[in-house]
Amino acid sequence: MPDSLPRNIVDCSQLQQDLFIEADVAIVGTGAGGGVAARTLSQAGLRVVMIEEGPFKTTGDFRMQESDAYPTLYHDVANRKTDDKAITILQGRAVGGGTTVNWTSCFRIPEQTLAHWQQHYGWTHNSETLAPWYRRVESLFNIQPWPVHNASNSALVRGADKLGWQNDVIARNVRRCRNLGYCGMGCPVGAKQSTLLTCIPDAMKHDATLLTRLRAQQLIMRGDGIEEIECHALTAIGVDPTGVKVRVRARHVVLAAGGIGSPALMLRSRLPDPYGLVGKRTFLHITVGTFAHMRDRVDPYYGAPQTATSNQFLWRDGVTGEMGYKIEAVPLQPGLAATALGAFGIRHAELMEGLPYLQPLIAIMRDGFHDESAGGSVSLNSDGSPLLSYPLNNYLWRGIRHAYASLMQIQFAAGAQRVGAAHSDSAWYDNWLQAQAAVEQMPMKPHHARLFSAHVMGGCVMGADRTRSVVDLDGNHRHVSNLTVIDGSIFPTSIGANPSLPIYTLAAWQSEKLATSLRQA
Amino acid sequence: MLAGALPQPEREQNAAIEQIITGFDFTVAHFPPTVRNEIRQLLDLLVFPPTRVLLTGMFASWEKADASAVRAFISRWETSRFSLLRSGYSALHDLICGAWYVSPESWARIGYPGPPQLESR
Ligand SMILES: Cc1cc2nc3c(=O)[nH]c(=O)nc-3n(C[C@H](O)[C@H](O)[C@H](O)COP(=O)(O)OP(=O)(O)OC[C@H]3O[C@@H](n4cnc5c(N)ncnc54)[C@H](O)[C@@H]3O)c2cc1C
Ligand code: SF4
C-alpha cells in the first residue's frame, strides 16, 4: 500500500459528510469493462469519475493468503450463491473488478459464438471487424501464449494428447510472470496485467477520479435521461453503508458493474423495461470438476493456473445441440479445495491430506445456445441487493454427466492412480471403465454436484431487436438517453471461452465510439 | 464436520476450534446483510430444541451430543430430499471447512507448504 493515496482516489469509507461530484462521464464499476472505458474516455479528454464498491488494493497488499483475499477482494467472501444455494459464484469486488483476481486466461470470441450472435441477435461484429480491436487490447494487456505448464496443466496436455483430443496453449495477460500461481489472491509481484495496473493508472494520469468503497445505489432519472447517481459509502469491511451519501452528476453514465451488478442497478432504479428483459438471460459457464490422485506430487496450488485447454467437446453436438464444454485446469489452494470437495468428516480429511497429489480439471459449460438453456434471472431482495436464480434442468445435467466422464477420461489417460468427481455421491474410481459406469448412475441434482461459476455474463442483452434486447448494438440503453453498458452483461449467451478478452475488446470498441459521440455533442 | 482434520492433543484442538470460530465470524461479517440473516436463522434453528430435534434428529443438546449423532445429522442433511436442508449443509460445510483450511495451522497435516517466499526486490 502506498503511504498516501494519490489525490484523485477517495476511499469513501472514511468520508464524514455527504459529497457532490460533477463530471462528464460517471463509470460504475472498474473491472474489465469499466477499466477499459475509463482509460479510453479520459484519454479522449473527458472528465471521468469511477465509482467502485470494492476497495483499492494493489501489488503490495496481495499476500497470497486466501484468508484475507476472499473477504477483501470478492463478493460475499468468494462464496456468492444462487437463491437455492446450488451454485457458488466467484466474482471480484475491488478496484480492477474480476481482473484483479482472475486467472489471466485470454481467448478471442469463438467464431461459432459470433456467428450465433449475428444470426439470432443481429450482431454485426465478425472476426475481421474485431481484429484491429483484438490487436490493440492484446498489446495493451500484453496477451501472449504461455507454454509453461505446471504439473496440473501438463497432465491435461498429456491426457488429451494420448486420447488424440484437441488441446491448445492458453494466452495470458502477464508481464514477467513468475509462475507463482496465486493470481486468485491478486498478483503479489505486479505481473498480472489487470485493469488495476494498466487502464486505471492511465485514466488517473488523465485526471480521472476514483471513488472506492462506494456503491451506486440508484440512477435517478429526469425526463428521458439519468440526472444523477445516488451512491452509498460503505464501511471499511465493505458491505454495510456508513450513512454517508455521495451524489454524482454526469452528462453520461457508463454502467460497468458486471453481470448481476449492472442489471441489479437497473432494477433498483426502475429504469424503463417494457419487455421485462433486465436481468434475464444471465449466464454462468457453470463449472464442474473432477480430481485425480497422481503418483507424483502435483502441488496444484503452484504455477501459472491455466496454461492448457481442450475444446474437444465445446461444440460436440453443433452450436445449438447438446450442451458443450471447455476443459481447463484450476489452481487449488487449500481453502478453495476444501469447499470444492463436497464430502465431510473423515472422508474430507483424507481427501485434503492428498492435496499435494491432487490434479483438478474443470468443464466450463457453454450455456445459452439452446432453447432449454435460458440462463438465470436477477431479482432484488427487500433491501435492494441482488439475488440470482438459475434453474437447473435435464438439458444441463446431461451435459454435466458427459463432462464428468470426459474429465476423468483425460485424467486416467494422464496416468492418474484414481479419480473422483466433485459430487457428494462420487467415490474414488480405479480405472476409466469403473468411473464411466459410476457417472452413468450418479444422481444429477443440485447440492450433490458441486457447481461453480467464475464467469457471470448477460442480463443486459445487446441486440438488434428492441423487443429482445436491453441495449442496442452500441451498448446504449434502449429507453434512457445517456446510459451505455460496457461490461460482460451485454452478451446474449455465454461465450464458450473465458470472458475477459471478449469484454476488453468490446469495451475498447464501444468506448472509442462513445468518446467520439460525446466529444461531438 | 472436520473430524479427522484437527490436531489430536486437546490444547491444540481447542485452539484450532477457536481459530475456526474466529474465521467463521470473520467471514460472516463480510457477507451482505441478507446472507448474514440467513446464517443467523440457520444457527437459531440448530440451537432451538424443537427445531433441532425436528431437523437434525438430535435429542441431546449440542454440548452433550456424541460424535456419531452429529455425523448422522450432517449426513442426513447432505443427502436430504429437501433442498432447504441440503443448502444448510453446503452453507455449514463451506464456512467451517473454509475457515479451517485457510489457516496455516491446518497446512502441516495436508502437506501444503504455504505460499512461496518472495525474495525481497
Ligand atoms: C477467480 C476468478 C478467476 C477468473 N479467471 C478468468 C480467466 O482466467 N480468464 C478470463 O477471461 N476470465 C476470468 N474470470 C472472469 C473475468 O475476470 C470476468 O468475467 C470479468 O472481470 C468481468 O468483467 P466485467 O467488466 O463484466 O465485471 P467485473 O470485472 O466483475 O467488474 C465489476 C465491478 O463493478 C463493481 N460493482 C458492482 N456493482 C456495483 C455498484 N452498484 N456500485 C459500484 N460498484 C459496483 C464490482 O465491485 C466490480 O469491481 C475470472 C473470474 C474470477 C472471479
Ligand atoms: S502466476 Fe504470474 S500473474 Fe499469477 S500471481 Fe503468479 S506471478 Fe502473478
Side-chain angles (χ1 to χ4, degrees):
Chain A
M1 192 85 170
D3 291 329
S4 59
L5 297 178
R7 226 169 0 99
N8 44 354
I9 300 187
V10 182
D11 174 356
C12 296
S13 69
Q14 302 303 313
L15 290 179
Q16 299 302 323
Q17 52 192 350
D18 293 0
L19 213 60
F20 175 72
I21 294 178
E22 279 186 291
D24 294 320
V25 187
I27 302 179
V28 181
T30 58
V36 170
R39 176 178 190 267
T40 312
L41 294 166
S42 58
Q43 286 184 340
L46 296 155
R47 271 181 319 144
V48 168
V49 170
M50 293 174 261
I51 301 166
E52 170 56 56
E53 102 168 43
F56 174 72
K57 297 282 176 192
T58 190
T59 308
D61 302 315
F62 301 145
R63 302 191 309 120
M64 301 186 279
Q65 295 288 350
E66 295 175 282
S67 55
D68 61 34
Y70 298 160
T72 325
L73 305 176
Y74 286 77
H75 279 288
D76 300 16
V77 203
N79 207 342
R80 193 174 219 179
K81 300 272 188 188
T82 44
D83 59 351
D84 60 359
K85 315 284 187 282
I87 310 174
T88 302
I89 300 170
L90 304 177
Q91 236 182 337
R93 190 200 50 166
V95 174
T99 76
T100 298
V101 295
N102 78 12
W103 298 337
T104 70
S105 304
C106 293
F107 303 93
R108 293 184 175 192
I109 305 172
E111 295 288 344
Q112 291 89 332
T113 303
L114 276 176
H116 185 81
W117 293 347
Q118 285 164 22
Q119 200 183 336
H120 296 271
Y121 296 91
W123 279 46
T124 47
H125 293 293
N126 57 45
S127 291
E128 264 120 70
T129 60
L130 287 178
W133 299 97
Y134 281 132
R135 279 197 295 275
R136 263 198 220 189
V137 167
E138 286 162 354
S139 117
L140 171 63
F141 292 99
N142 207 43
I143 297 171
Q144 283 168 17
W146 191 265
V148 188
H149 300 311
N150 65 3
S152 222
N153 284 278
S154 304
L156 167 51
V157 175
R158 194 166 65 242
D161 278 348
K162 188 130 177 231
L163 296 165
W165 291 358
Q166 188 278 347
N167 63 88
D168 256 329
V169 169
I170 293 179
R172 303 179 61 224
N173 55 318
V174 295
R175 215 182 274 281
R176 289 188 289 278
C177 162
R178 296 210 248 158
N179 288 313
L180 300 171
Y182 288 74
C183 304
M185 279 140 260
C187 178
V189 295
K192 187 200 296 183
Q193 301 299 293
S194 51
T195 57
L196 170 69
L197 291 194
T198 55
C199 301
I200 290 165
D202 283 347
M204 307 300 284
K205 266 183 234 139
H206 287 85
D207 293 327
T209 301
L210 172 57
L211 308 173
T212 68
R213 290 285 192 224
L214 187 67
R215 179 183 294 149
Q217 190 65 22
Q218 204 170 354
L219 308 170
I220 297 171
M221 297 276 292
R222 187 192 180 121
D224 67 351
I226 294 164
E227 180 177 43
E228 211 168 274
I229 310 178
E230 180 189 312
C231 308
H232 294 180
L234 304 176
T235 62
I237 283 188
V239 282
D240 297 299
T242 61
V244 169
K245 292 193 179 151
V246 178
R247 289 154 53 216
V248 178
R249 184 171 291 192
R251 270 163 63 200
H252 201 90
V253 175
V254 169
L255 194 42
I260 302 180
S262 285
L265 182 51
M266 286 190 188
L267 291 171
R268 276 203 296 275
S269 311
R270 298 171 199 270
L271 298 190
D273 180 21
Y275 302 98
L277 302 170
V278 173
K280 304 282 161 43
R281 295 192 71 75
T282 294
F283 297 104
L284 294 177
H285 277 162
I286 288 178
T287 297
V288 295
T290 61
F291 300 92
H293 189 99
M294 295 292 183
R295 200 188 51 230
D296 300 320
R297 276 182 88 97
V298 176
D299 291 321
Y301 24 75
Y302 295 149
Q306 302 181 309
T307 52
T309 180
S310 171
N311 295 338
Q312 179 73 20
F313 298 104
L314 188 53
W315 313 102
R316 65 189 175 101
D317 188 32
V319 177
T320 56
E322 288 295 301
M323 193 178 281
Y325 48 91
K326 184 172 181 65
I327 298 174
E328 292 171 357
V330 272
L332 209 55
Q333 278 81 25
L336 189 62
T339 51
L341 297 166
F344 72 93
I346 303 284
R347 188 170 136 73
H348 190 266
E350 280 169 6
L351 287 168
M352 288 301 294
E353 221 164 280
L355 182 64
Y357 297 86
L358 283 191
Q359 192 276 331
L361 282 184
I362 55 167
I364 295 175
M365 309 304 298
R366 178 173 59 78
D367 49 350
F369 291 78
H370 188 279
D371 288 343
E372 284 181 59
S373 184
S377 102
V378 178
S379 60
L380 299 177
N381 290 308
S382 56
D383 66 355
S385 60
L387 184 66
L388 178 68
S389 71
Y390 192 109
L392 303 162
N393 61 14
N394 283 331
Y395 171 75
L396 174 70
W397 291 124
R398 278 201 305 280
I400 290 177
R401 201 185 289 282
H402 196 277
Y404 278 138
S406 307
L407 298 179
M408 296 197 197
Q409 196 172 358
I410 296 186
Q411 288 168 317
F412 281 116
Q417 293 189 313
R418 39 192 185 139
V419 171
H423 185 293
S424 60
D425 301 41
S426 170
W428 282 115
Y429 308 112
D430 296 326
N431 58 60
W432 158 238
L433 280 178
Q434 198 191 13
Q436 195 183 23
V439 168
E440 285 291 317
Q441 300 304 321
M442 243 179 234
M444 291 295 150
K445 285 196 271 183
H447 300 286
H448 288 246
R450 304 293 280 184
L451 306 177
F452 288 84
S453 166
H455 302 164
V456 187
M457 296 156 284
C460 302
V461 168
M462 172 186 274
D465 177 350
R466 54 187 302 119
T467 67
R468 290 172 59 229
S469 57
V470 175
V471 297
D472 68 15
L473 293 176
D474 292 334
N476 296 322
H477 193 283
R478 291 209 168 271
H479 310 283
V480 178
S481 61
N482 60 347
L483 175 62
T484 307
V485 181
I486 303 185
D487 63 18
S489 69
I490 61 172
F491 298 117
T493 66
S494 73
I495 298 167
N498 311 37
S500 62
L501 176 54
I503 299 172
Y504 298 144
T505 306
L506 285 168
W509 170 79
Q510 283 181 278
S511 44
E512 188 78 33
K513 201 157 175 182
L514 179 61
T516 309
S517 80
L518 288 178
R519 266 185 321 207
Q520 280 162 358
Chain B
M1 187 69 85
L2 285 169
L6 303 184
Q8 281 312 316
E10 196 176 320
R11 257 213 9 248
E12 283 173 49
Q13 184 158 81
N14 288 340
I17 291 171
E18 278 300 312
Q19 176 93 36
I20 293 165
I21 295 172
T22 313
F24 189 103
D25 290 346
F26 184 74
T27 301
V28 172
H30 285 79
F31 279 130
T34 45
V35 182
R36 284 202 305 260
N37 284 339
E38 286 175 0
I39 293 169
R40 185 169 323 120
Q41 283 165 8
L42 177 65
L43 296 179
D44 285 348
L45 288 176
L46 289 176
V47 173
F48 185 55
T51 46
R52 184 192 66 227
V53 174
L54 204 65
L55 294 175
T56 68
M58 299 213 329
F59 288 92
S61 70
W62 288 102
E63 297 77 46
K64 302 202 188 102
D66 72 318
S68 67
V70 177
R71 209 159 37 237
F73 131 67
I74 300 180
S75 149
R76 256 184 56 197
W77 275 33
E78 183 189 16
T79 54
S80 170
R81 279 186 297 125
F82 301 107
S83 84
L84 191 71
L85 299 190
R86 289 202 305 270
S87 70
Y89 167 82
S90 2
L92 293 175
H93 175 276
D94 291 5
L95 277 165
I96 296 171
C97 296
W100 176 234
Y101 286 106
V102 300
S103 58
E105 288 79 359
S106 71
W107 297 345
R109 192 189 66 85
I110 58 171
Y112 170 54
Q117 293 292 324
L118 294 180
E119 68 277 20
S120 43
R121 293 181 306 158

